[in-house]
Amino acid sequence: MTVLILGAGSDMAVALARQFAAEKYDVQLAARNTSFLQAQENDLRIRYGINASSHAFDAVDFASHPAFYESLPVKPDITICVFGYLGDQELGQSNWQEASRIIHTNYTGAVSILNVVAADYAARRQGTIIGISSVAGERGRQSNYLYGSAKAGFTAYLSGLRNRLFHNGVHVMTVQPGFVYTRMTEGLTLPPLLTAQPTDVASAIVKAAKAKKNVLYVKWFWRYIMLIIKSIPEFIFKKLKL
């Protein structure tokens, strides 16, 4: 069994690679920084005794995605879309380059590559696609609505893809991690009780993938936190500073 990790340079992706390697999956690492991937690849191979490989992948180079997937030496059984970009909300409000990067990294790039993967899996009538989305996509908030809107689109995309590919024997899982301690969030003050470690996320994803869960909230209470937030009437919600 082989797992492809798209965006393999992130803290969460490193934890996922190690967790799947510990389960004796061969691992394909894909990201822009191939020099970092090479060191990770060697570590996985030595530490876990599995086959590992590194592949150059740019989430926003949409035209390259079909050739990238075709170039893989072995087609993966599981594909995990981990890449994302939190970005700067305030800058993005006035700078289209920043807004575009947030939108294309978190949504368009993910749709582009997963469309390619989905076509292969549907033809083979097997496979698992896992998308790392965000609870930020469940309701737009002034502090991160560019990121949140892109993740909302990604969540809807994964839901539709799951509906479509179920009839082809392919499983699609949406992951809502909540807060996670990573390099992407290191500048933020996060509440410890609501925040997971990358290893927690990786372990939960491996277990949920085996159980073929449709939607995974890594910390269960996020489902209810977001239910409460979504239940606030709009005339009240718009006055809040969230």
Side-chain angles (χ1 to χ4, degrees):
M1 298 285 282
T2 301
V3 59
L4 168 63
I5 301 178
L6 299 164
S10 71
D11 296 334
M12 196 182 301
V14 170
L16 276 165
R18 290 176 178 172
Q19 188 72 41
F20 274 98
E23 298 280 334
K24 295 304 178 183
Y25 281 79
D26 291 335
V27 180
Q28 296 172 336
L29 305 168
R32 287 180 299 177
N33 187 352
T34 53
S35 59
F36 172 81
L37 295 186
Q38 190 64 53
Q40 188 183 353
E41 172 192 335
N42 292 337
D43 178 71
L44 292 170
R45 190 181 294 115
I46 294 168
R47 188 190 300 258
Y48 300 103
I50 53 95
N51 294 318
S53 57
S54 302
H55 309 272
F57 171 76
D58 187 341
V60 296
D61 184 4
F62 315 130
S64 71
H65 292 175
F68 157 77
Y69 190 72
E70 284 304 311
S71 73
L72 295 174
V74 175
K75 293 299 181 290
D77 302 284
I78 299 175
T79 295
I80 311 177
C81 186
V82 187
F83 60 81
Y85 176 61
L86 184 60
D88 185 325
Q89 168 67 35
E90 189 170 348
L91 176 62
Q93 290 165 191
S94 58
N95 183 307
W96 172 245
Q97 187 174 1
E98 177 69 1
S100 176
R101 184 181 176 191
I102 293 170
I103 294 165
H104 289 319
T105 303
N106 292 297
Y107 179 69
T108 321
V111 172
S112 174
I113 184 58
L114 292 185
N115 274 355
V116 175
V117 176
D120 176 50
Y121 283 7
R124 291 162 51 195
R125 303 191 68 82
Q126 62 180 24
T128 297
I129 292 172
I130 300 172
I132 311 297
S133 192
S134 173
V135 296
E138 299 200 22
R139 190 164 192 178
R141 295 176 292 122
Q142 66 176 3
S143 60
N144 67 351
Y145 62 81
L146 289 172
Y147 174 80
S149 63
K151 286 298 189 180
F154 188 41
T155 295
Y157 169 80
L158 291 170
S159 177
L161 193 65
R162 178 164 49 249
N163 184 201
R164 170 195 156 204
L165 293 183
F166 171 79
H167 306 282
N168 297 92
V170 179
H171 183 62
V172 178
M173 183 169 76
T174 306
V175 180
Q176 306 277 36
F179 297 137
V180 184
Y181 289 116
T182 66
R183 280 170 288 170
M184 190 170 78
T185 61
E186 64 184 358
L188 305 177
T189 301
L190 302 177
L193 290 177
L194 301 181
T195 308
Q197 295 290 341
T199 50
D200 299 329
V201 178
S203 177
I205 287 174
V206 171
K207 291 177 182 176
K210 290 180 179 178
K212 293 191 178 300
K213 291 195 71 170
N214 296 315
V215 179
L216 169 66
Y217 286 84
V218 174
K219 285 185 173 286
W220 61 269
F221 43 72
W222 273 108
R223 182 188 298 272
Y224 300 101
I225 290 172
M226 296 315 300
L227 180 62
I228 291 169
I229 289 176
K230 288 188 292 185
S231 299
I232 300 172
E234 191 66 22
F235 75 91
I236 294 175
F237 187 80
K238 69 181 182 181
K239 299 175 184 178
L240 303 177
K241 291 188 176 182
L242 298 175

mmCIF file of all heavy atoms in Angstrom, residues 168-204:
data_model
loop_
_atom_site.group_PDB
_atom_site.id
_atom_site.type_symbol
_atom_site.label_atom_id
_atom_site.label_comp_id
_atom_site.label_asym_id
_atom_site.label_seq_id
_atom_site.Cartn_x
_atom_site.Cartn_y
_atom_site.Cartn_z
ATOM 1 N N ASN A 168 -18.180 4.720 -7.266
ATOM 2 C CA ASN A 168 -17.042 4.082 -7.935
ATOM 3 C C ASN A 168 -16.160 3.325 -6.956
ATOM 4 O O ASN A 168 -15.044 2.925 -7.304
ATOM 5 C CB ASN A 168 -16.188 5.137 -8.645
ATOM 6 C CG ASN A 168 -16.935 5.859 -9.746
ATOM 7 O OD1 ASN A 168 -17.530 6.903 -9.498
ATOM 8 N ND2 ASN A 168 -16.925 5.314 -10.955
ATOM 9 N N GLY A 169 -16.635 3.154 -5.725
ATOM 10 C CA GLY A 169 -15.854 2.413 -4.741
ATOM 11 C C GLY A 169 -14.691 3.193 -4.155
ATOM 12 O O GLY A 169 -13.763 2.603 -3.592
ATOM 13 N N VAL A 170 -14.722 4.516 -4.267
ATOM 14 C CA VAL A 170 -13.642 5.376 -3.762
ATOM 15 C C VAL A 170 -14.151 6.138 -2.541
ATOM 16 O O VAL A 170 -15.264 6.673 -2.557
ATOM 17 C CB VAL A 170 -13.178 6.366 -4.845
ATOM 18 C CG1 VAL A 170 -12.076 7.285 -4.300
ATOM 19 C CG2 VAL A 170 -12.698 5.617 -6.083
ATOM 20 N N HIS A 171 -13.319 6.192 -1.495
ATOM 21 C CA HIS A 171 -13.725 6.895 -0.280
ATOM 22 C C HIS A 171 -13.045 8.252 -0.188
ATOM 23 O O HIS A 171 -11.855 8.378 -0.483
ATOM 24 C CB HIS A 171 -13.375 6.071 0.967
ATOM 25 C CG HIS A 171 -13.827 6.724 2.236
ATOM 26 N ND1 HIS A 171 -15.153 6.970 2.499
ATOM 27 C CD2 HIS A 171 -13.135 7.210 3.292
ATOM 28 C CE1 HIS A 171 -15.259 7.557 3.676
ATOM 29 N NE2 HIS A 171 -14.048 7.729 4.173
ATOM 30 N N VAL A 172 -13.802 9.257 0.239
ATOM 31 C CA VAL A 172 -13.285 10.624 0.413
ATOM 32 C C VAL A 172 -13.575 11.056 1.849
ATOM 33 O O VAL A 172 -14.716 10.988 2.306
ATOM 34 C CB VAL A 172 -13.938 11.611 -0.573
ATOM 35 C CG1 VAL A 172 -13.414 13.029 -0.322
ATOM 36 C CG2 VAL A 172 -13.670 11.188 -2.012
ATOM 37 N N MET A 173 -12.534 11.494 2.546
ATOM 38 C CA MET A 173 -12.689 11.926 3.938
ATOM 39 C C MET A 173 -12.267 13.386 4.088
ATOM 40 O O MET A 173 -11.233 13.801 3.590
ATOM 41 C CB MET A 173 -11.847 11.054 4.874
ATOM 42 C CG MET A 173 -12.008 11.404 6.352
ATOM 43 S SD MET A 173 -11.270 10.179 7.464
ATOM 44 C CE MET A 173 -9.530 10.575 7.309
ATOM 45 N N THR A 174 -13.103 14.139 4.801
ATOM 46 C CA THR A 174 -12.810 15.537 5.124
ATOM 47 C C THR A 174 -12.306 15.610 6.551
ATOM 48 O O THR A 174 -12.945 15.072 7.463
ATOM 49 C CB THR A 174 -14.080 16.397 5.002
ATOM 50 O OG1 THR A 174 -14.657 16.227 3.705
ATOM 51 C CG2 THR A 174 -13.771 17.874 5.241
ATOM 52 N N VAL A 175 -11.169 16.275 6.749
ATOM 53 C CA VAL A 175 -10.595 16.406 8.093
ATOM 54 C C VAL A 175 -10.709 17.858 8.547
ATOM 55 O O VAL A 175 -10.292 18.777 7.846
ATOM 56 C CB VAL A 175 -9.118 15.974 8.118
ATOM 57 C CG1 VAL A 175 -8.534 16.123 9.526
ATOM 58 C CG2 VAL A 175 -8.979 14.535 7.639
ATOM 59 N N GLN A 176 -11.285 18.052 9.722
ATOM 60 C CA GLN A 176 -11.411 19.369 10.350
ATOM 61 C C GLN A 176 -10.546 19.348 11.613
ATOM 62 O O GLN A 176 -11.008 18.965 12.682
ATOM 63 C CB GLN A 176 -12.878 19.643 10.719
ATOM 64 C CG GLN A 176 -13.870 19.495 9.571
ATOM 65 C CD GLN A 176 -13.929 20.753 8.712
ATOM 66 O OE1 GLN A 176 -12.934 21.416 8.497
ATOM 67 N NE2 GLN A 176 -15.109 21.073 8.225
ATOM 68 N N PRO A 177 -9.294 19.767 11.509
ATOM 69 C CA PRO A 177 -8.393 19.620 12.657
ATOM 70 C C PRO A 177 -8.653 20.580 13.819
ATOM 71 O O PRO A 177 -8.277 20.286 14.950
ATOM 72 C CB PRO A 177 -7.004 19.896 12.053
ATOM 73 C CG PRO A 177 -7.187 19.852 10.585
ATOM 74 C CD PRO A 177 -8.594 20.267 10.335
ATOM 75 N N GLY A 178 -9.270 21.753 13.575
ATOM 76 C CA GLY A 178 -9.303 22.770 14.619
ATOM 77 C C GLY A 178 -7.919 23.395 14.746
ATOM 78 O O GLY A 178 -7.122 23.358 13.809
ATOM 79 N N PHE A 179 -7.607 23.962 15.909
ATOM 80 C CA PHE A 179 -6.285 24.548 16.107
ATOM 81 C C PHE A 179 -5.228 23.450 16.210
ATOM 82 O O PHE A 179 -5.433 22.434 16.874
ATOM 83 C CB PHE A 179 -6.245 25.384 17.398
ATOM 84 C CG PHE A 179 -7.165 26.562 17.408
ATOM 85 C CD1 PHE A 179 -7.922 26.860 18.537
ATOM 86 C CD2 PHE A 179 -7.292 27.395 16.301
ATOM 87 C CE1 PHE A 179 -8.774 27.950 18.557
ATOM 88 C CE2 PHE A 179 -8.147 28.488 16.317
ATOM 89 C CZ PHE A 179 -8.885 28.762 17.449
ATOM 90 N N VAL A 180 -4.085 23.669 15.558
ATOM 91 C CA VAL A 180 -2.966 22.724 15.620
ATOM 92 C C VAL A 180 -1.679 23.518 15.792
ATOM 93 O O VAL A 180 -1.481 24.548 15.140
ATOM 94 C CB VAL A 180 -2.860 21.861 14.341
ATOM 95 C CG1 VAL A 180 -1.744 20.829 14.485
ATOM 96 C CG2 VAL A 180 -4.183 21.173 14.035
ATOM 97 N N TYR A 181 -0.809 23.052 16.679
ATOM 98 C CA TYR A 181 0.487 23.694 16.865
ATOM 99 C C TYR A 181 1.397 23.344 15.685
ATOM 100 O O TYR A 181 1.912 22.224 15.582
ATOM 101 C CB TYR A 181 1.142 23.215 18.156
ATOM 102 C CG TYR A 181 0.490 23.705 19.423
ATOM 103 C CD1 TYR A 181 -0.108 22.812 20.308
ATOM 104 C CD2 TYR A 181 0.471 25.065 19.744
ATOM 105 C CE1 TYR A 181 -0.704 23.259 21.484
ATOM 106 C CE2 TYR A 181 -0.122 25.516 20.924
ATOM 107 C CZ TYR A 181 -0.698 24.611 21.783
ATOM 108 O OH TYR A 181 -1.300 25.055 22.937
ATOM 109 N N THR A 182 1.602 24.275 14.772
ATOM 110 C CA THR A 182 2.477 24.084 13.617
ATOM 111 C C THR A 182 3.221 25.379 13.328
ATOM 112 O O THR A 182 2.945 26.422 13.917
ATOM 113 C CB THR A 182 1.687 23.691 12.351
ATOM 114 O OG1 THR A 182 0.853 24.802 11.977
ATOM 115 C CG2 THR A 182 0.820 22.450 12.582
ATOM 116 N N ARG A 183 4.147 25.308 12.384
ATOM 117 C CA ARG A 183 4.850 26.529 11.968
ATOM 118 C C ARG A 183 3.873 27.555 11.396
ATOM 119 O O ARG A 183 4.093 28.763 11.511
ATOM 120 C CB ARG A 183 5.919 26.181 10.919
ATOM 121 C CG ARG A 183 7.200 25.611 11.499
ATOM 122 C CD ARG A 183 8.099 25.074 10.409
ATOM 123 N NE ARG A 183 7.564 23.840 9.839
ATOM 124 C CZ ARG A 183 8.031 23.258 8.746
ATOM 125 N NH1 ARG A 183 9.038 23.805 8.082
ATOM 126 N NH2 ARG A 183 7.505 22.132 8.305
ATOM 127 N N MET A 184 2.781 27.099 10.780
ATOM 128 C CA MET A 184 1.811 28.010 10.179
ATOM 129 C C MET A 184 1.079 28.829 11.239
ATOM 130 O O MET A 184 0.638 29.948 10.992
ATOM 131 C CB MET A 184 0.806 27.231 9.321
ATOM 132 C CG MET A 184 -0.091 28.113 8.465
ATOM 133 S SD MET A 184 -1.066 27.193 7.250
ATOM 134 C CE MET A 184 -2.377 26.527 8.271
ATOM 135 N N THR A 185 0.967 28.285 12.469
ATOM 136 C CA THR A 185 0.217 28.972 13.517
ATOM 137 C C THR A 185 1.117 29.484 14.641
ATOM 138 O O THR A 185 0.615 29.935 15.669
ATOM 139 C CB THR A 185 -0.843 28.021 14.130
ATOM 140 O OG1 THR A 185 -0.184 26.882 14.714
ATOM 141 C CG2 THR A 185 -1.830 27.554 13.087
ATOM 142 N N GLU A 186 2.435 29.423 14.462
ATOM 143 C CA GLU A 186 3.329 29.757 15.570
ATOM 144 C C GLU A 186 3.222 31.216 16.006
ATOM 145 O O GLU A 186 3.589 31.555 17.135
ATOM 146 C CB GLU A 186 4.778 29.415 15.222
ATOM 147 C CG GLU A 186 5.364 30.200 14.060
ATOM 148 C CD GLU A 186 6.766 29.739 13.713
ATOM 149 O OE1 GLU A 186 7.276 28.837 14.407
ATOM 150 O OE2 GLU A 186 7.346 30.261 12.743
ATOM 151 N N GLY A 187 2.718 32.097 15.161
ATOM 152 C CA GLY A 187 2.570 33.496 15.543
ATOM 153 C C GLY A 187 1.254 33.794 16.241
ATOM 154 O O GLY A 187 1.006 34.929 16.650
ATOM 155 N N LEU A 188 0.417 32.781 16.390
ATOM 156 C CA LEU A 188 -0.901 32.966 16.990
ATOM 157 C C LEU A 188 -0.915 32.498 18.444
ATOM 158 O O LEU A 188 -0.193 31.575 18.809
ATOM 159 C CB LEU A 188 -1.960 32.182 16.199
ATOM 160 C CG LEU A 188 -2.057 32.459 14.694
ATOM 161 C CD1 LEU A 188 -3.098 31.543 14.074
ATOM 162 C CD2 LEU A 188 -2.398 33.925 14.439
ATOM 163 N N THR A 189 -1.760 33.118 19.250
ATOM 164 C CA THR A 189 -1.964 32.658 20.629
ATOM 165 C C THR A 189 -3.133 31.684 20.616
ATOM 166 O O THR A 189 -4.286 32.071 20.388
ATOM 167 C CB THR A 189 -2.277 33.845 21.565
ATOM 168 O OG1 THR A 189 -1.189 34.777 21.517
ATOM 169 C CG2 THR A 189 -2.462 33.357 22.994
ATOM 170 N N LEU A 190 -2.842 30.419 20.843
ATOM 171 C CA LEU A 190 -3.861 29.376 20.733
ATOM 172 C C LEU A 190 -4.233 28.835 22.112
ATOM 173 O O LEU A 190 -3.369 28.650 22.966
ATOM 174 C CB LEU A 190 -3.343 28.224 19.862
ATOM 175 C CG LEU A 190 -2.911 28.594 18.436
ATOM 176 C CD1 LEU A 190 -2.350 27.376 17.722
ATOM 177 C CD2 LEU A 190 -4.083 29.170 17.657
ATOM 178 N N PRO A 191 -5.530 28.553 22.340
ATOM 179 C CA PRO A 191 -5.957 27.986 23.628
ATOM 180 C C PRO A 191 -5.510 26.535 23.745
ATOM 181 O O PRO A 191 -5.882 25.698 22.909
ATOM 182 C CB PRO A 191 -7.485 28.096 23.566
ATOM 183 C CG PRO A 191 -7.806 28.148 22.103
ATOM 184 C CD PRO A 191 -6.660 28.819 21.428
ATOM 185 N N PRO A 192 -4.713 26.211 24.753
ATOM 186 C CA PRO A 192 -4.151 24.856 24.867
ATOM 187 C C PRO A 192 -5.177 23.721 24.836
ATOM 188 O O PRO A 192 -4.959 22.708 24.185
ATOM 189 C CB PRO A 192 -3.417 24.895 26.216
ATOM 190 C CG PRO A 192 -3.065 26.339 26.405
ATOM 191 C CD PRO A 192 -4.213 27.108 25.819
ATOM 192 N N LEU A 193 -6.318 23.910 25.502
ATOM 193 C CA LEU A 193 -7.307 22.833 25.561
ATOM 194 C C LEU A 193 -7.956 22.554 24.208
ATOM 195 O O LEU A 193 -8.451 21.447 23.970
ATOM 196 C CB LEU A 193 -8.397 23.161 26.587
ATOM 197 C CG LEU A 193 -7.972 23.127 28.057
ATOM 198 C CD1 LEU A 193 -9.126 23.543 28.948
ATOM 199 C CD2 LEU A 193 -7.478 21.728 28.445
ATOM 200 N N LEU A 194 -7.943 23.552 23.323
ATOM 201 C CA LEU A 194 -8.587 23.400 22.024
ATOM 202 C C LEU A 194 -7.597 23.073 20.910
ATOM 203 O O LEU A 194 -7.984 22.940 19.752
ATOM 204 C CB LEU A 194 -9.336 24.689 21.652
ATOM 205 C CG LEU A 194 -10.431 25.167 22.606
ATOM 206 C CD1 LEU A 194 -11.080 26.434 22.062
ATOM 207 C CD2 LEU A 194 -11.479 24.092 22.834
ATOM 208 N N THR A 195 -6.320 22.940 21.252
ATOM 209 C CA THR A 195 -5.271 22.830 20.247
ATOM 210 C C THR A 195 -4.608 21.456 20.268
ATOM 211 O O THR A 195 -4.235 20.954 21.328
ATOM 212 C CB THR A 195 -4.209 23.930 20.460
ATOM 213 O OG1 THR A 195 -4.861 25.202 20.535
ATOM 214 C CG2 THR A 195 -3.211 23.958 19.316
ATOM 215 N N ALA A 196 -4.476 20.869 19.079
ATOM 216 C CA ALA A 196 -3.884 19.535 18.945
ATOM 217 C C ALA A 196 -2.428 19.633 18.504
ATOM 218 O O ALA A 196 -1.994 20.628 17.926
ATOM 219 C CB ALA A 196 -4.673 18.720 17.925
ATOM 220 N N GLN A 197 -1.677 18.587 18.782
ATOM 221 C CA GLN A 197 -0.327 18.433 18.262
ATOM 222 C C GLN A 197 -0.412 17.749 16.892
ATOM 223 O O GLN A 197 -1.349 16.976 16.633
ATOM 224 C CB GLN A 197 0.523 17.585 19.207
ATOM 225 C CG GLN A 197 0.766 18.211 20.566
ATOM 226 C CD GLN A 197 1.687 19.416 20.499
ATOM 227 O OE1 GLN A 197 2.418 19.601 19.527
ATOM 228 N NE2 GLN A 197 1.656 20.239 21.543
ATOM 229 N N PRO A 198 0.546 17.983 16.000
ATOM 230 C CA PRO A 198 0.532 17.295 14.701
ATOM 231 C C PRO A 198 0.453 15.775 14.815
ATOM 232 O O PRO A 198 -0.204 15.127 14.004
ATOM 233 C CB PRO A 198 1.854 17.740 14.072
ATOM 234 C CG PRO A 198 2.130 19.075 14.672
ATOM 235 C CD PRO A 198 1.647 18.974 16.095
ATOM 236 N N THR A 199 1.098 15.223 15.842
ATOM 237 C CA THR A 199 1.042 13.761 16.022
ATOM 238 C C THR A 199 -0.370 13.291 16.362
ATOM 239 O O THR A 199 -0.771 12.194 15.966
ATOM 240 C CB THR A 199 2.015 13.314 17.125
ATOM 241 O OG1 THR A 199 1.804 14.116 18.305
ATOM 242 C CG2 THR A 199 3.469 13.466 16.669
ATOM 243 N N ASP A 200 -1.114 14.124 17.105
ATOM 244 C CA ASP A 200 -2.511 13.784 17.427
ATOM 245 C C ASP A 200 -3.350 13.733 16.152
ATOM 246 O O ASP A 200 -4.178 12.832 15.961
ATOM 247 C CB ASP A 200 -3.132 14.831 18.371
ATOM 248 C CG ASP A 200 -2.410 14.927 19.705
ATOM 249 O OD1 ASP A 200 -1.871 13.909 20.147
ATOM 250 O OD2 ASP A 200 -2.391 16.030 20.286
ATOM 251 N N VAL A 201 -3.127 14.727 15.292
ATOM 252 C CA VAL A 201 -3.867 14.793 14.030
ATOM 253 C C VAL A 201 -3.548 13.580 13.163
ATOM 254 O O VAL A 201 -4.445 12.932 12.616
ATOM 255 C CB VAL A 201 -3.525 16.097 13.268
ATOM 256 C CG1 VAL A 201 -4.264 16.129 11.923
ATOM 257 C CG2 VAL A 201 -3.880 17.315 14.095
ATOM 258 N N ALA A 202 -2.264 13.254 13.052
ATOM 259 C CA ALA A 202 -1.838 12.127 12.211
ATOM 260 C C ALA A 202 -2.434 10.818 12.695
ATOM 261 O O ALA A 202 -2.946 10.013 11.905
ATOM 262 C CB ALA A 202 -0.315 12.046 12.192
ATOM 263 N N SER A 203 -2.376 10.587 13.998
ATOM 264 C CA SER A 203 -2.922 9.346 14.561
ATOM 265 C C SER A 203 -4.423 9.239 14.316
ATOM 266 O O SER A 203 -4.937 8.177 13.928
ATOM 267 C CB SER A 203 -2.629 9.299 16.067
ATOM 268 O OG SER A 203 -3.193 8.155 16.654
ATOM 269 N N ALA A 204 -5.136 10.351 14.501
ATOM 270 C CA ALA A 204 -6.586 10.346 14.290
ATOM 271 C C ALA A 204 -6.927 10.090 12.828
ATOM 272 O O ALA A 204 -7.890 9.370 12.523
ATOM 273 C CB ALA A 204 -7.175 11.681 14.744
#
